[in-house]
Amino acid sequence: MPNMYREATHAGSWYTDSGAELNRQLNGWLNDADLTFGPARAIIAPHAGYRYCGACGAWAYRQISPAVVKRVFILGPSHHVRLSRCALSAAQYCRTPLYDLKVDQQINKQLEATGHFKWMDQKTDEDEHSIEMHLPYVAKVMEEYSDQFTIVPVMVGSISNEWEETYGKIFAPYLADPQNLFVISSDFCHWGQRFRYTYYEEGSGPIYKWIENLDKMGMDLIETLKADSFSEYLRKYNNTICGRHPIGVLMQSVEELKRRGHRMSFKFLKYDQSNQCCDKKDSSVSYASGSLIFE
């Protein structure tokens, strides 16, 4: 029996648990962002605490046309459990301080039938923030159609390139449908000793500038929509992009649809860092927001 509710376990810490306050914040960030690359069929957006990345995330969410969307797939990485495949939420509803979002049981059944998906238990589901941090934004953007859409939360494990391709093919027909929206949850470089990543090429100017150049190299490759180039970049620099596998799955879906004659383009619209690193003791997390459109 599916759990009835996935509680908003990070409300009150990572973002406010007051619906009115949350509504005000999200409104402000969305109003500050420009609609320049829509309507989005997929977005990449960050999942840190809103005080760090709420404003950056708005640039991706601003590209969505809520009137056409009937289903929102949210693909996020796993931060706490070792997972070698993708896993689905067993909840019927995901709570947010704005309103509850309904999980699409029919799509879950279709995905389960492929034999390639596991189920998250309630604790795993509620401990993970990578999907939850997108739920209030989804609720906000879709508020005028609150009873007319469902969500499909998918936790993406540490999967191989081959598995990214397998899942990419599974999700491709869903991505091709204009009534579906894909939200890809990812932060970019986690730099500093606490992340065990302090890669820096001497003579590259301030560290924060080097991090930005490293991220932008990866972002440029994502914009080419060539999955192999992005994988090659990750192998070379080992950039600590926590949503690399959800991004890889999206890129493989796009490759599959390109083979079927679809034309798409992706563009990053906003980039930010939690802090500007100036020496080896500093640390920061980078955030990037982008949108995929069908031409």
Side-chain angles (χ1 to χ4, degrees):
M1 200 32 214
N3 320 322
M4 196 63 186
Y5 292 103
R6 182 210 179 278
E7 296 298 336
T9 51
H10 294 74
S13 52
W14 290 53
Y15 57 99
T16 177
D17 53 7
S18 151
E21 174 63 11
L22 183 59
N23 191 48
R24 197 186 59 72
Q25 282 178 349
L26 295 174
N27 256 334
W29 290 324
L30 287 164
N31 287 337
D32 287 344
D34 299 328
L35 170 54
T36 55
F37 205 74
R41 187 75 59 89
I43 60 170
I44 293 176
H47 54 235
Y50 281 179
R51 67 198 177 97
Y52 297 111
C53 73
C56 179
W59 284 78
Y61 277 96
R62 186 72 182 82
Q63 314 311 313
I64 293 166
S65 258
V68 298
V69 176
K70 294 283 181 276
R71 212 175 283 109
V72 183
F73 290 77
I74 307 165
L75 276 58
S78 172
H79 286 85
H80 305 293
V81 297
R82 290 192 66 78
L83 180 65
S84 59
R85 295 289 179 268
C86 288
L88 304 167
S89 174
Q92 292 183 27
Y93 294 91
C94 292
R95 291 197 187 279
T96 81
L98 301 175
Y99 57 90
D100 297 341
L101 303 177
K102 189 177 184 188
V103 177
D104 198 313
Q105 305 302 326
Q106 193 188 351
I107 298 291
N108 273 354
K109 281 202 184 78
Q110 291 173 11
L111 295 174
E112 185 186 28
T114 66
H116 294 320
F117 290 82
K118 298 176 165 23
W119 291 94
M120 293 181 247
D121 60 53
Q122 188 153 6
K123 181 176 173 6
T124 300
D125 198 346
E126 291 184 344
D127 284 352
E128 181 54 61
H129 64 274
S130 75
I131 294 170
E132 179 180 336
M133 296 309 293
H134 289 281
L135 301 177
Y137 252 125
V138 169
K140 176 63 193 165
V141 169
M142 296 298 296
E143 64 188 346
E144 285 177 40
Y145 307 91
S146 59
D147 56 350
Q148 293 169 43
F149 78 99
T150 53
I151 61 167
V152 185
V154 181
M155 188 187 277
V156 180
S158 299
I159 54 179
S160 65
N161 290 111
E162 290 69 34
W163 275 103
E164 286 178 4
E165 198 176 330
T166 300
Y167 286 113
K169 286 184 169 142
I170 291 170
F171 285 119
Y174 298 103
L175 181 63
D177 181 347
Q179 294 192 323
N180 292 333
L181 168 74
F182 277 73
V183 172
I184 306 298
S185 175
S186 184
D187 293 342
F188 275 68
C189 186
H190 296 58
W191 197 94
Q193 277 146 359
R194 68 194 183 102
F195 300 118
R196 297 193 292 281
Y197 187 78
T198 51
Y199 182 51
Y200 170 69
E201 289 184 358
E202 293 303 334
S204 299
I207 294 174
Y208 67 87
K209 214 49 210 162
W210 156 252
I211 295 169
E212 180 173 345
N213 292 337
L214 179 67
D215 280 329
K216 295 228 161 135
M217 220 185 300
M219 290 156 66
D220 288 347
L221 291 170
I222 293 169
E223 287 185 349
T224 68
L225 296 174
K226 293 190 172 76
D228 290 350
S229 315
F230 183 57
S231 302
E232 193 47 54
Y233 157 86
L234 290 170
R235 272 194 294 277
K236 182 173 176 185
Y237 293 102
N238 204 23
N239 190 358
T240 42
I241 298 172
C242 56
R244 56 172 67 189
H245 298 299
I247 292 170
V249 170
L250 173 69
M251 292 180 78
Q252 291 288 359
S253 274
V254 166
E255 298 247 27
E256 177 63 24
L257 292 180
K258 283 203 289 203
R259 285 191 284 273
R260 300 182 194 179
H262 291 274
R263 292 167 59 104
M264 291 148 278
S265 49
F266 190 94
K267 191 171 179 202
F268 279 103
L269 305 163
K270 195 72 179 160
Y271 176 79
D272 219 344
Q273 294 175 350
S274 61
N275 179 39
Q276 293 202 328
C277 294
C278 294
D279 69 43
K280 287 280 172 46
K281 293 190 295 294
D282 294 337
S283 65
S284 75
V285 180
S286 311
Y287 313 115
S289 280
S291 167
L292 175 86
I293 60 172
F294 275 58
E295 292 164 9

